[in-house]
Amino acid sequence: MHLDLNNPRSIVTWWQVYPERHGPQLSALARLQPQFAASIREARRLIDDDPQLAARHAAARLQQGRQSGWVPSAEDLALDGVAEEQGADLAPDSPGTLDDAHEPPLPSGAWH
């Protein structure tokens, strides 16, 4: 598969292969290579505008959030545009206490 980071549709096609892993990778790529950030944001908009892809996105974020100790980075929250809305208090109560009953809050629209 060829990934063209200048083409939002190519990004969406690549993301669909493994959303749980490719979402965080896209967040990292947008930070590390800002020349692709606009294309990556557009790809996320395309995903969120499609009901089926949005459902896969939500499921991928839920699975990512169930991993012990996972908390979205400040950079990812800023890229997602929710840092101001959610505040900085996104860390779990204490390390190692995550389970199905107590999950860290997930930002809406995040790649994770």
Side-chain angles (χ1 to χ4, degrees), residues 8 11 14 25 31 38 46 64 66 68-69 76 95 98 100:
I11 295 169
W14 180 76
Q25 288 174 337
R31 279 193 322 275
L46 292 172
Q64 189 69 252
R66 286 189 174 151
S68 181
D76 288 340
L98 299 178
D100 287 340

Side-chain angles (χ1 to χ4, degrees), residues 13-105:
T13 301
W14 180 76
W15 172 84
Q16 290 180 59
V17 172
Y18 194 179
E20 296 82 7
R21 178 168 292 170
H22 291 170
Q25 288 174 337
L26 287 169
S27 293
L29 281 169
R31 279 193 322 275
L32 297 172
Q33 298 185 9
Q35 69 270 27
F36 301 120
S39 298
I40 291 170
R41 279 192 301 271
E42 176 62 16
R44 189 176 67 209
R45 188 194 62 76
L46 292 172
I47 289 168
D48 290 341
D49 286 349
D50 182 310
Q52 288 181 327
L53 294 179
R56 287 190 70 196
H57 187 191
R61 287 192 328 257
L62 182 62
Q63 183 176 351
Q64 189 69 252
R66 286 189 174 151
Q67 292 180 5
S68 181
W70 178 83
V71 177
S73 70
E75 292 87 2
D76 288 340
L77 294 175
L79 178 65
D80 295 333
V82 297
E84 296 81 27
E85 297 170 13
Q86 300 266 332
D89 188 21
L90 291 176
D93 295 333
S94 62
T97 61
L98 299 178
D99 58 24
D100 287 340
H102 178 65
E103 296 175 1

